[in-house]
Amino acid sequence: MTIHIEGTLEIATGAPATFDKSGYEALTFVEITGLIEAPQFATTHSDIQVPSLGGRTKIMKGAEVGVASSIVYEAVDSDSGQAAVLAACRARGEYSLRWTPPASGADVTYATGILKDYAETKPTNASYEGAQCNFVPNYVPVTAAAPS
């Protein structure tokens, strides 16, 4: 069993030239520090309903679409990764993320998509300074051996 404590999430501007290990390793990633919650790199499919006069509607698998998932972090002054997340949320382009689990030698997961819905943490008597946003993958995530 792997726990996620001390895993790292990094961000790079743009999509790779190829959606494989070498394409992603050609990008320049910066770590997002203060991470509280990393996104899931998930996809789902739209439903295609095929009715029948026999009284039963079949559901067929339609187009694949990325599932929005949160990135949450505590504010860290002058963190270039957090600045990149804010810039990505305000931009219209695609960005790439790399999740590295804490286990030594574990595979990393890459995903490319959009960041959106930026919101600073609501100030309360039980909150921290930080922010969150959503990541939506536009391509199938890639799992590969950790960069050397």
Side-chain angles (χ1 to χ4, degrees):
M1 175 176 66
T2 300
I3 58 173
H4 297 295
I5 296 172
E6 297 183 5
T8 59
L9 183 66
E10 299 164 282
I11 185 170
T13 301
T18 57
F19 290 93
D20 57 16
K21 180 179 174 155
S22 62
Y24 278 107
E25 286 187 1
L27 298 174
T28 302
F29 286 90
V30 294
E31 184 177 352
I32 303 164
T33 61
L35 191 64
I36 295 170
E37 183 179 316
Q40 293 176 294
F41 299 142
T43 59
T44 189
H45 293 84
S46 60
D47 292 341
I48 299 172
Q49 296 186 8
V50 183
S52 167
L53 289 177
R56 176 95 177 155
T57 298
K58 288 192 224 176
I59 303 294
M60 306 296 285
K61 190 187 298 185
E64 189 171 21
V65 63
V67 176
S69 185
S70 297
I71 298 172
V72 182
Y73 53 86
E74 174 190 11
V76 175
D77 292 338
S78 303
D79 181 68
S80 58
Q82 290 183 11
V85 168
L86 176 57
C89 286
R90 292 182 173 161
R92 295 209 179 271
E94 292 182 316
Y95 289 77
S96 295
L97 298 179
R98 175 170 59 198
W99 168 253
T100 304
S104 177
D107 288 348
V108 299
T109 304
Y110 298 99
T112 299
I114 62 165
L115 285 93
K116 62 182 195 128
D117 307 328
Y118 178 87
E120 292 182 355
T121 305
K122 181 179 178 180
T124 70
N125 66 354
S127 68
Y128 53 89
E129 184 180 0
Q132 67 179 34
C133 70
N134 287 316
F135 175 74
V136 183
N138 283 336
Y139 309 91
V140 176
V142 172
T143 300
S148 43

